[in-house]
Amino acid sequence: MPTLRLQSQKSLFSLTAILFFIISCSKDGDVDTIGPEEIPVDLSAKEIAQKLYNDYYVASKSATEDNAWTGSEAACDPGSVPQSTKEKIFTRLAYFRKAAGLHNEITENLTKSDKAQRAALMMHANNTLDHFPPESWKCYSTEGKDGAGSSLLTMSKNAEAIDSYVRDYGANNGPVGHRRWLLWPRLQEIGIGNTNVSNAIWVLGNAGNPPTDAPDFIAWPPEGYVPNRVVYPRWSFSIKDADFTATQISMKDADGNSISLSVEELDDAYGDSTIVWVPEGIESNNLEDIPYIVTIKNVKMGDDLRDFEYHTILFDIND
C-alpha cells in the first residue's frame, strides 16, 4: 500500500432524475425517513456515472507504452515526464472532482511543477516521505524543499497517485487531508512532480472562488451512483466553515439496517471543514447495486444547526 503524508454536488450533472433528496433544515425540523422501498433507481443516472468513469478514470490509466521519467536518482537529475503523463494525471483528478460535483478546470503552474518535480526526486532518492526534508538528504535542494512543504506526497506515480491521495490510506491520514485538498472547491492550479517511483502535487496557495455550480457539500463517496472500485474505507463530508463538533452521523442499508461506523478525530488544517467516518461491512465488491442512506445531523453553520441526508449507490463497473 502507498504511504501518504500531508503538511498542512448538484451531483455529477445535477442528477435531478435520480430523485435524491438532500435534506438541509434547521433543528426545528426533522429529517425525513426514507424506507427501503423508496430508494430511487434511475438507470440513466447510473449510465452517466459509468460514462464519466470510462471517459476520465479508465482513459487516464497508465500504459506500458507511456514514456518514462527522464531523470536519474544516481545523478540527482529531477528530469521530467512527458506532457501525456501530466495530462493523464489531470484527467484522473478531473474524474474525482467531477464525480463530486466540481466542474471547474484545474491548470498547471509551471514554477510549482518544477519545485514539485525536485520534491518528487528527493522522496524517490531517499525512499521516504517528508514535508520538511533535511539538508543531509540525498539530492536535497532548496527548490525541492519548497515543493515538499506545499505538496501532497506519495510513493506512487502517474495518474494512479491521485487514487492514493483520494484513498488516504494509513493511520496518519484520518482527516483525509490529501483528498480534501484535491476536492477543495477553491482549488485553481497545481504543480506536478513525478518520477518512476514517487509523486508530488503542489496544492497550496493561489486559492480562488469555488465554481458557481459547486454543490452544497463535497462528499466522498459522493451522492448518487459511484463505481465500487473508487469507494474507500474512509467516507468524508465537507462544507466550508462548518462546525462538526456536535455532529452525529448514521447510515442505513437498503433494508433499513443501521451500519456501524466510527468517526475520525476532527482536524480543520486541510481545505474545508470535514468530518470523516469509517463504516463497517460496506459491500464494495458486490455485483449488485448497493444503496446506502447517509444522515448527518447537527452541522453548525454560523448560528444555525443543519441536517443533511443523501444516498450513495455503489455499483460494479463491469456489470
Side-chain angles (χ1 to χ4, degrees), residues 1 66-67 76 78 113 121 146 149 178 211 225 277 289 297 307:
M1 298 295 180
D66 287 349
N67 292 328
C76 289
S113 285
L121 169 66
D146 288 346
H178 305 80
Y225 285 93
W277 67 99
D289 294 355
K297 294 185 176 182
D307 296 341

Side-chain angles (χ1 to χ4, degrees), residues 4 8 87 145 165 188 273 297 313:
L4 304 176
S8 237
E87 289 174 356
K145 181 179 181 180
Y165 294 134
Q188 305 293 313
S273 300
K297 294 185 176 182
I313 304 176

Side-chain angles (χ1 to χ4, degrees), residues 160-290:
E160 288 72 23
I162 300 298
D163 296 51
S164 68
Y165 294 134
V166 177
R167 183 181 183 189
D168 255 337
Y169 172 81
N172 294 327
N173 292 306
V176 297
H178 305 80
R179 178 190 301 176
R180 288 160 66 173
W181 283 123
L182 292 182
L183 300 184
W184 192 31
R186 297 179 61 194
L187 185 66
Q188 305 293 313
E189 65 179 25
I190 61 174
I192 296 176
N194 196 81
T195 73
N196 59 4
V197 170
S198 58
N199 177 273
I201 301 290
W202 185 309
V203 293
L204 298 186
N206 197 35
N209 295 320
T212 56
D213 60 347
D216 293 332
F217 58 84
I218 300 297
W220 196 269
E223 64 168 324
Y225 285 93
V226 58
N228 52 24
R229 292 185 184 181
V230 293
V231 175
Y232 307 116
R234 290 184 171 115
W235 292 40
S236 60
F237 179 93
S238 303
I239 300 182
K240 185 178 183 296
D241 297 330
D243 182 349
F244 293 108
T245 304
T247 297
Q248 299 173 329
I249 299 175
S250 62
M251 289 179 60
K252 291 185 178 182
D253 63 17
D255 295 321
N257 300 312
S258 294
I259 304 295
S260 297
L261 56 86
S262 58
V263 179
E264 298 279 8
E265 184 177 353
L266 296 174
D267 189 333
D268 286 335
Y270 319 99
D272 287 338
S273 300
T274 299
I275 190 166
V276 183
W277 67 99
V278 181
E280 297 180 6
I282 297 300
E283 300 183 62
S284 58
N285 295 319
N286 199 300
L287 298 181
E288 299 179 356
D289 294 355
I290 307 295

Side-chain angles (χ1 to χ4, degrees), residues 76-78 114-123 125-126 130-149:
C76 289
D77 176 8
D114 178 70
K115 294 183 176 182
Q117 184 65 35
R118 294 175 185 275
L121 169 66
M122 292 167 63
M123 308 305 139
N126 295 276
D130 196 330
H131 291 284
F132 305 96
E135 294 184 18
S136 60
W137 263 27
K138 183 180 179 181
C139 300
Y140 176 89
S141 66
T142 56
E143 295 87 354
K145 181 179 181 180
D146 288 346

Side-chain angles (χ1 to χ4, degrees), residues 90 97 102-107 187-189:
F90 274 106
R97 287 181 64 87
L102 298 168
H103 306 292
N104 58 315
E105 180 180 2
I106 305 299
T107 61
L187 185 66
Q188 305 293 313
E189 65 179 25

